Amino acid sequence: MRAGTCAWNCGRGGSPLRYANAERSMAALRTLRFPSCLAFCRKHVNSITGRSFAKCQARFLSSVTERDGLQVSHNSNTGVVTLSMNKPPVNSLNLEFLQSMHKTLGEIQDDQDCRAVILTSGLTNIFCAGLDITEMYQPDDKRLREFWTSLQDMWIRLYSFPKTTMAAITGHSPAGGALLAMSCDYRVMAENFTIGLNETKLGIVAPTWFIDLYVGILGQRLSELALQTGKLFTSEEALKVGLVDQVVPLNDVIPTVEKELSEWKIPALARGMTKDVLRRIYWRKLQETQDVDTESFVFLIKQEKVQQTLGLYLQSLKNKKK
Ligand SMILES: CC/C=C\C/C=C\C/C=C\CC/C=C/CC(=O)SCCNC(=O)CCNC(=O)[C@H](O)C(C)(C)COP(=O)(O)OP(=O)(O)OC[C@H]1O[C@@H](n2cnc3c(N)ncnc32)[C@H](O)[C@@H]1OP(=O)(O)O
């Protein structure tokens, strides 16, 4: 686009496709989603440079919704949806949050204007603290099963997601948090945090489908060591073993993911089918054994020894503050 021209008011600055998108977005904006932005751009767009025009354009094209601990921000200029976990204090995955993620991912999957998703966190220092331990400690039997089924369903959806998914890991990411990150197609992590499957430290066992991902990424030997000891990798270690693809300063995480996405100019069908070939064996394996997997989980969690260890672990988290 030529610097200083205006695709919004006259369409002369852009390609027909860009113009069509602009028209559609303008129509959406006229429904008063960003009236002040619209007024600002109308006033200034003819005199600004190409660079500030791009910024202006980005403001025009973003729509943000917030629901059940998730913020969904859609940039219709790039077709990228940023799904930001926003459930203080630590984005722990409880039943309702898992259901909310499952539903929202389904909506994004059906959104024809979305080509890729950035999964990130709106909280400081935390990407996701993994499963909500309070769901597993002294649980109600029915809720425990529903909780596990919701985790399975959400994971199957995320792992088999046909569009490109990238994790912007802006904080710690233990256990279930690492699962979320590992299920994305690409991972960029901020410096000085930790990631990994630390389940044994809580006296529990990482499910086979978590382990399958780990082995696929780390290899058998390293997985054996890391899983048995419940190792959490620092960002820098995670980069070395391939658990993440880039490590950058915190403020650069999102721009780095956005840049990476802009470079993935791959025909969507070919990329999606390739991902499906590589991944379906894993999610189908779980899909075919969901009931057995749930029973194993419930059996393990209800062991007295497991309950004791989970209780002590929860207490140790709370004692940190004292
Ligand atoms: C052979 C096979 C047989 C059977 C297999 C079948 C099935 C498998 C069975 C079981 C598998 C179950 C799988 C589980 C996977 C998981 O994800 S387990 C969860 C693991 N998560 C963690 O260990 C993280 C623990 N948290 C932390 O390390 C820190 O909190 C963290 C680094 C995330 C943040 O630190 P900080 O910013 O300092 O915050 P605080 O520690 O002060 O925490 C703030 C409050 O949040 C509470 N909290 C933290 N994490 C969790 C959590 N995961 N769930 C619930 N609550 C959490 C913490 O207690 C504080 O609460 P308070 O404010 O004190 O009330």
Side-chain angles (χ1 to χ4, degrees):
M1 188 178 297
R2 239 172 347 112
T5 56
C6 171
W8 307 115
N9 284 342
C10 61
R12 281 189 301 249
S15 67
L17 180 63
R18 191 183 285 270
Y19 182 56
N21 283 339
E23 280 295 285
R24 201 172 43 196
S25 303
M26 285 291 274
L29 287 161
R30 277 190 203 104
T31 63
L32 292 184
R33 247 191 282 180
F34 296 106
S36 59
C37 179
L38 184 60
F40 170 85
C41 292
R42 278 229 167 103
K43 198 164 157 216
H44 293 99
V45 83
N46 286 323
S47 58
I48 59 180
T49 65
R51 184 171 158 71
S52 49
F53 177 79
K55 276 192 188 157
C56 181
Q57 184 185 42
R59 284 179 71 195
F60 255 135
L61 290 168
S62 290
S63 73
V64 182
T65 55
E66 188 132 21
R67 194 186 56 201
D68 304 328
L70 289 172
Q71 190 189 71
V72 182
S73 130
H74 189 156
N75 183 330
S76 36
N77 191 33
T78 58
V80 174
V81 166
T82 302
L83 179 56
S84 190
M85 294 174 282
N86 228 343
K87 179 180 164 289
V90 290
N91 284 333
S92 61
L93 304 167
N94 69 359
L95 170 62
E96 289 75 18
F97 195 42
L98 286 166
Q99 289 175 335
S100 161
M101 285 183 76
H102 181 255
K103 182 166 177 245
T104 304
L105 283 169
E107 288 165 2
I108 298 171
Q109 187 168 331
D110 293 342
D111 180 352
Q112 301 298 313
D113 294 330
C114 165
R115 72 171 181 92
V117 178
I118 299 174
L119 179 62
T120 191
S121 162
L123 307 183
T124 312
N125 291 335
I126 313 285
F127 177 68
C128 166
L131 299 193
D132 195 313
I133 300 164
T134 60
E135 292 282 11
M136 299 182 280
Y137 183 59
Q138 300 182 339
D140 166 75
D141 204 66
K142 184 165 172 282
R143 185 174 166 103
L144 186 65
R145 284 167 202 281
E146 206 183 338
F147 165 67
W148 196 251
T149 312
S150 302
L151 173 68
Q152 294 168 333
D153 290 344
M154 188 281 296
W155 177 72
I156 289 172
R157 181 158 284 170
L158 176 63
Y159 189 64
S160 66
F161 207 74
K163 300 171 185 187
T164 304
T165 52
M166 294 198 181
I169 311 164
T170 49
H172 294 295
S173 193
L179 178 80
L180 295 182
M182 286 193 289
S183 304
C184 293
D185 299 319
Y186 196 83
R187 294 172 275 286
V188 177
M189 187 168 182
E191 295 164 340
N192 303 320
F193 292 112
T194 56
I195 184 168
L197 298 182
N198 62 330
E199 279 81 350
T200 51
K201 292 249 170 72
L202 290 75
I204 51 181
V205 184
T208 358
W209 37 290
F210 287 42
I211 292 179
D212 283 345
L213 294 197
Y214 227 37
V215 173
I217 294 170
L218 302 184
Q220 179 75 17
R221 178 68 189 134
L222 199 49
S223 298
E224 281 185 10
L225 282 175
L227 282 164
Q228 289 184 58
T229 57
K231 180 174 172 61
L232 287 170
F233 295 90
T234 63
S235 309
E236 294 68 25
E237 288 170 335
L239 180 65
K240 266 195 201 141
V241 298
L243 195 48
V244 299
D245 300 296
Q246 290 193 56
V247 170
V248 298
L250 180 61
N251 287 340
D252 294 343
V253 172
I254 295 280
T256 304
V257 172
E258 285 172 344
K259 180 169 178 289
E260 186 68 29
L261 268 175
S262 72
E263 286 165 6
W264 281 38
K265 292 196 179 80
I266 317 289
L269 185 67
R271 190 206 46 75
M273 285 177 74
T274 304
K275 174 173 173 176
D276 182 51
V277 168
L278 286 160
R279 292 191 170 197
R280 69 180 160 217
I281 177 175
Y282 297 107
W283 62 264
R284 280 195 187 159
K285 184 170 130 191
L286 174 62
Q287 204 174 44
E288 283 157 14
T289 57
Q290 262 182 278
D291 289 349
V292 181
D293 187 70
T294 304
E295 291 315 314
S296 308
F297 168 70
V298 172
F299 175 79
L300 184 85
I301 292 302
K302 287 173 108 180
Q303 299 299 310
E304 207 180 309
K305 188 76 199 147
V306 170
Q307 283 299 307
Q308 274 171 16
T309 317
L310 281 176
L312 288 172
Y313 190 79
L314 257 182
Q315 200 51 53
S316 72
L317 288 175
K318 301 209 178 293
N319 288 346
K320 261 181 19 182
K321 286 188 189 127
K322 291 180 186 158

